[in-house]
Amino acid sequence: MALTAIIEAHGGPEQFKLVDRNVGEPGNGEVRIAHKAVGLNFIDVYQRTGLYPMQLPHAMGMEAAGVIEAVGEGVTHLKVGDRAAYASNPPGAYSEARVMSAAQVCPLPDGISFEEGAAMMLKGMTVEYLFHRTSPLKSGDTVLFHAAAGGVGLLACQWARSEGITLIGTAGTDEKCQLAQDHGATHCLNYRSGDWVAQVRSLTGGKGVDVVMDAVGKDTFDGSLDSLKPLGMMISFGNASGPVPPFDVGILGKKGSLKITRPTLFTHIGDHETCQAMAQNLAAKVLRGDVKINIGQRFALSDVAKAHEALEARKTTGCTVLEI
């Protein structure tokens, strides 16, 4: 049996229930993993509220780290006793242990703690695909990154610095802006204290940025397009302020033949080999010290509702983990 956080209806954090569930044995292509730490992400909020609907009741949580307890037939990249971490569908990480597909479970190097492993997989592999797979970037390129002091943002700031990429961040307070700059953002703009689009234009000599990485959604979408240089790429990868309303695709032509995409991590990691390669790239960054995993908040599994309240109210910085 394993204590597990589930929801039986979409809604607020009060929907969480803690139940004991039978874990069982792994089948073909599966593993059983005993969690040591669990990561929280904004996609968890989307799923809980029903923005991303799920068939209910359902366990929650998309990433965790722990120790492999049992291995099913056909699994060759993991063995009993291995340290491992993952970001994966379907949800179910808010638990003491689970049986799951092994394809997206990745070996966790000894030099990375369980808390770091739990906090880095979904956010870190997101940064990996944003910088290297969606619109591959090179030294000298310029990126606008919204919510630069969040869990994904602080990793992106460090990633950009390690590769010679100029990152202009945005955040909601001067303190968060300073945090982003401390982690490698070249500039960070407080979007509450001025016209951030004009400031982006000023910082780029009027040209605009090569790529915008926007997980805020509705509130920043129009300004993001206006921050791009001609032929620039808009990467919309989240909806923290709400989904982007329908828009006239012709506006992309009028604003400079812009490109736009709406990728997800789970498309990229759906292929086992790609997932393992992305995890290895991320782990190498962490082991070299290029990227440090900033864990700003820790909650007990039993306090998962409080963790969601803090996350949804944007009262968190860096990564948030549940301790098992």
Side-chain angles (χ1 to χ4, degrees), residues 289-313:
D290 291 342
V291 170
K292 296 188 187 330
I293 309 302
N294 179 309
I295 299 172
Q297 301 75 217
R298 294 171 173 82
F299 295 86
L301 178 60
S302 58
D303 288 331
V304 62
K306 293 180 181 178
H308 266 240
E309 288 170 2
L311 190 67
E312 201 166 9

Side-chain angles (χ1 to χ4, degrees), residues 275-292:
C275 177
Q276 298 297 317
M278 291 170 67
Q280 288 168 14
N281 291 344
L282 170 61
K285 285 274 191 190
V286 174
L287 291 171
R288 283 197 302 267
D290 291 342
V291 170
K292 296 188 187 330

Side-chain angles (χ1 to χ4, degrees), residues 19-106:
V19 298
D20 277 317
R21 303 179 92 186
N22 183 44
V23 180
E25 297 298 321
N28 186 53
E30 294 181 330
V31 295
R32 185 174 72 234
I33 182 169
H35 293 147
K36 301 296 185 182
V38 176
L40 270 70
N41 298 278
F42 227 92
I43 190 174
D44 305 352
V45 174
Y46 301 157
Q47 291 170 340
R48 191 204 73 229
T49 62
L51 179 62
Y52 294 173
M54 300 187 299
Q55 187 172 353
L56 302 178
H58 210 297
M60 294 288 293
M62 307 294 286
E63 69 175 343
V67 176
I68 302 298
E69 288 189 327
V71 175
E73 291 185 14
V75 177
T76 58
H77 69 292
L78 295 164
K79 64 182 185 303
V80 173
D82 279 355
R83 305 170 80 252
Y86 66 86
S88 179
N89 258 327
Y94 292 1
S95 62
E96 293 175 328
R98 70 186 294 199
V99 168
M100 62 184 297
S101 170
Q104 281 71 47
V105 183
C106 306

